[in-house]
Amino acid sequence: MGVAVKGLRLRRRRAAPASPLERALASALVDGRWQVPDRFNFTGDVVEPLAENPKRVAVTCLSRDGVIEPRTFLQLAEGASRWAAYLRDEGARPGDSVLILLGTSHDWLEVLLACLKAGLIAVPCAPGVLPGELERWIAASGASLLVSDRGAERLLGELSLRPAVRYLDELPPVRRGHTLERAPTHATAARDVALVVPTAGTEGDPRPVAHTHGATFACRVQAERWLDASPGDVVWCTGASSSLEALWNGVFGPLARGAETVFHDGAFDPEERLDHLRRLGVTVLCQAPAEYRALAELPERELRRLRPPHLRRLVSTGDALDPETAAVFAEAWGLTIHEGYGQAETGIVLANGADAGFRPGSLGLPLPGHHVAVVDEQGSELPPGLEGNLAVRGRPPTLFAGYWERPEETREAFSGDWYLTGDLARRDEDGFFWFVARSADLVVSRGRSFGPHEVERVLETHPAVRESGVVGIRDLERGGHFVRAFVVPPAGVEGSEQLEIELREHVEAALPAQQVPREIEFVDELPRTGSGKLRRAELRERPVARRPLWDLGHTEPSPVTDAPLVPAPPPP
């Protein structure tokens, strides 16, 4: 039997489409109401019906050495059947967790689909993870089996906690002339857990987030209404194989819309990315703001010349996108970057440019089927203009089933019928949502509170700043917090006391005094998660490396720099 999750309310479909292919591509919403089948299995109900056309391409894989290798739905279905049979022979049973330590490739996708087909819980994990992190993730997910390639053999040999390991080259080869019989598909219920994925980990160790088979069906809504993916499209989501972005926007969403998807298991290089976009005929690009910023730093003439001819839609998620970067693509390519807001727990729930409208700088409007609001500490919806907790109401099938094996943490994430995202936001009179800050990142200074993003955006308009990270540090002398900024200069620029003063004056000219950084540290790079999000908790914990700017000739009193620094706590 599959693993059932209580509390996930899914509506019955009104009428089943006539054919397997129609069911594979059916809408998840009818008249604004969720229509999720009681039983659903992505491999059996989407991939295998689409495999009836043996020439239909599902994914094009680009290897590290530049080899382009397309895979049809038929090839994916056959590969998933082989792996499902093999994993069953190895003793895996429905409800068992299987950790997949592979980068985005056709092997990764086939193992992932095999787990779903066999009723196993897939636990994707990106390569490059450190031994300690991998051990924590194995323990957190409860994985009893791990699938990897030989490149991870040395890493796995260093683990003290290790489940049974199976390598890709251990899969028995198909005998020549042998006709493959598809392995049976487990009758998974929509409420059964299908996936365990990590949170971003910006505020500590990632937490294991459980999603159901119903969620793998329902995520087609964001593919339709935000990605705007349709048959004939080629969608490239550049997220890591462990991220929900890669699963929702690179696998389940596009394939359920009949689109082709792209995998590239290699490092990011801006000029190479543009070349790949052209060669692969990508029409929809989903990537992190940091990747858009890196492309925007290319010379304007080069960016115009290398514009991918088939590209028609740009979307971004994972972090805030600065308006200067968005303006570069609007000018050079004539394309708007459509931001989407979501978490590992939610998928995309707010989108800019989906259906009803677009407002630059905002998080956008709720996707159909989602009730999103700004609420106070008692869970009451706040009127437009007031800041509060960004929350999702009810139990849409896209919402996580809970933190895996962590019932207390799951309960703490909810207030009544609201899931609290941990982000602060406000809503305007037209219903658009505006991000303020993560609750843990809120800075309180001189009786006012603000998020770090506005300070970062002002800093990054200075030519001596390539990127920046801003945090609030407890002011032990005067109470509240003061602002510390970490700045990455562009190539050829070095940090100096004079540049610190110049940057501080630059911010002072645009923002109130409490938002001006008291300390500025020049660094080579900022700590980021695998999905590109800034690890602010790590920045808050870094010791002071330089004296504060107040000692550089300014008249305001200096804080007690010899006292231990205390990270800014979440607001009450």
Side-chain angles (χ1 to χ4, degrees):
M1 298 294 291
V3 180
V5 177
K6 296 179 180 178
L8 185 66
R9 300 192 294 271
L10 307 179
R11 296 182 180 273
R12 293 178 179 271
R13 287 184 300 178
R14 292 181 178 177
S19 71
L21 183 58
E22 288 175 320
R23 287 196 297 272
L25 304 179
S27 174
L29 288 169
V30 176
D31 298 330
R33 298 176 125 190
W34 289 105
Q35 305 295 313
V36 179
D38 290 333
R39 293 197 173 275
F40 178 74
N41 187 288
F42 191 89
T43 308
D45 293 326
V46 174
V47 174
E48 290 179 356
L50 290 170
E52 296 303 316
N53 178 349
K55 296 183 179 180
R56 187 168 195 156
V57 175
V59 58
T60 296
C61 301
L62 184 64
S63 68
R64 291 175 181 269
D65 55 7
V67 175
I68 297 175
E69 186 176 5
R71 275 287 197 277
T72 65
F73 280 93
L74 178 59
Q75 288 171 309
L76 288 184
E78 291 176 342
S81 280
R82 293 177 63 211
W83 272 105
Y86 177 64
L87 293 175
R88 283 168 172 153
D89 289 344
E90 292 299 301
R93 296 293 178 263
D96 289 349
S97 297
V98 177
L99 192 143
I100 308 171
L101 185 61
L102 295 167
T104 48
S105 63
H106 63 80
D107 291 313
W108 170 75
L109 184 52
E110 288 176 6
V111 176
L112 173 71
L113 295 174
C115 289
L116 302 186
K117 183 178 179 66
L120 306 170
I121 298 172
V123 184
C125 183
V129 64
L130 297 175
E133 295 173 328
L134 181 56
E135 285 188 338
R136 285 193 293 272
W137 192 235
I138 291 170
S141 63
S144 57
L145 181 66
L146 186 151
V147 178
S148 183
D149 58 24
R150 292 291 177 179
E153 198 165 7
R154 182 174 178 180
L155 166 67
L156 297 177
E158 297 177 9
L159 303 183
S160 58
L161 172 66
R162 191 177 86 168
V165 177
R166 296 295 177 266
Y167 293 102
L168 295 180
D169 58 12
E170 294 177 342
L171 181 67
V174 178
R175 297 190 303 273
R176 179 170 295 186
H178 177 70
T179 301
L180 179 69
E181 293 184 9
R182 285 186 188 161
T185 299
H186 186 70
T188 49
R191 302 168 190 263
D192 291 347
V193 171
L195 303 158
V196 173
V197 297
T199 56
T202 57
E203 296 298 326
D205 290 339
R207 290 188 286 182
V209 174
H211 278 283
T212 65
H213 287 272
T216 68
F217 178 89
C219 72
R220 62 186 64 192
V221 169
Q222 70 185 54
E224 177 184 2
R225 305 299 181 96
W226 176 58
L227 284 179
D228 191 32
S230 299
D233 274 319
V234 178
V235 179
W236 188 0
C237 175
T238 63
S241 59
S242 59
S243 68
L244 196 69
E245 289 95 339
L247 295 167
W248 264 214
N249 304 317
V251 178
F252 302 124
L255 298 186
R257 293 287 298 156
E260 178 187 334
T261 191
V262 167
F263 291 161
H264 176 220
D265 188 23
F268 170 69
D269 176 84
E271 293 187 0
E272 187 180 62
R273 174 68 52 86
L274 294 178
D275 181 58
H276 294 337
L277 289 168
R278 291 198 313 276
R279 291 172 63 198
L280 300 174
V282 173
T283 61
V284 180
L285 176 63
C286 173
Q287 62 180 10
E291 293 173 307
Y292 280 113
R293 283 193 290 270
L295 293 178
E297 290 175 359
L298 294 172
E300 182 180 357
R301 179 179 297 180
E302 191 78 354
L303 194 62
R304 288 179 182 274
R305 183 179 67 83
L306 297 177
R307 185 201 189 286
H310 299 94
L311 196 59
R312 64 173 184 82
R313 187 168 180 85
L314 304 176
V315 299
S316 175
T317 187
D319 210 343
L321 178 74
D322 60 277
E324 292 76 19
T325 295
V328 168
F329 288 92
E331 176 68 23
W333 290 1
L335 294 175
T336 299
I337 301 176
H338 299 85
E339 288 188 83
Y341 170 85
Q343 299 179 327
E345 292 91 337
T346 66
I348 299 298
V349 294
L350 295 171
N352 218 346
D355 289 346
F358 178 84
R359 187 153 295 175
S362 77
L363 298 175
L365 301 167
L367 282 181
H370 299 87
H371 184 165
V372 185
V374 177
V375 302
D376 61 19
E377 295 301 322
Q378 288 70 46
S380 300
E381 292 193 42
L382 293 173
L386 294 184
E387 295 178 4
N389 299 304
L390 187 62
V392 180
R393 188 172 188 176
R395 298 294 189 273
T398 49
L399 188 66
F400 75 136
Y403 297 113
W404 184 247
E405 304 290 348
R406 300 186 184 187
E408 185 60 34
E409 290 184 32
T410 301
R411 284 191 291 269
E412 290 173 355
F414 289 83
S415 175
D417 204 29
W418 294 100
Y419 163 67
L420 304 178
T421 64
D423 288 327
L424 302 176
R426 60 180 174 84
R427 180 173 58 89
D428 65 24
E429 294 286 349
D430 297 322
F432 286 86
F433 287 78
W434 298 80
F435 182 74
V436 176
R438 285 292 293 172
S439 297
D441 298 333
L442 196 69
V443 184
V444 181
S445 178
R446 304 184 192 181
R448 298 188 63 182
S449 60
F450 53 91
H453 297 282
E454 191 173 9
V455 184
E456 291 169 351
R457 285 177 176 174
V458 172
L459 280 169
E460 289 166 10
T461 62
H462 193 283
V465 178
R466 183 162 64 86
E467 58 179 340
S468 64
V470 168
V471 294
I473 301 296
R474 176 74 63 82
D475 191 332
L476 298 175
E477 184 174 280
R478 285 171 287 181
H481 306 132
F482 65 85
V483 175
R484 174 186 290 170
F486 294 84
V487 168
V488 179
V493 175
E494 293 187 4
S496 66
E497 291 185 356
Q498 182 57 42
L499 181 56
E500 290 181 51
I501 296 173
E502 187 178 324
L503 292 179
R504 186 173 180 277
E505 291 173 345
H506 179 72
V507 177
E508 209 167 23
L511 296 175
Q514 64 267 22
Q515 292 181 259
V516 177
R518 180 182 299 180
E519 298 175 357
I520 296 179
E521 298 279 340
F522 294 102
V523 294
D524 293 332
E525 61 180 2
L526 297 174
R528 294 190 180 276
T529 67
S531 60
K533 291 186 178 181
L534 187 63
R535 294 184 184 269
R536 295 189 194 275
E538 184 175 329
L539 292 180
R540 284 195 291 269
E541 294 169 0
R542 287 190 181 182
V544 176
R546 295 180 52 84
R547 56 184 174 154
L549 282 174
W550 304 116
D551 289 345
L552 301 177
H554 294 282
T555 58
E556 193 155 342
S558 172
V560 182
T561 55
D562 292 336
L565 290 172
V566 180

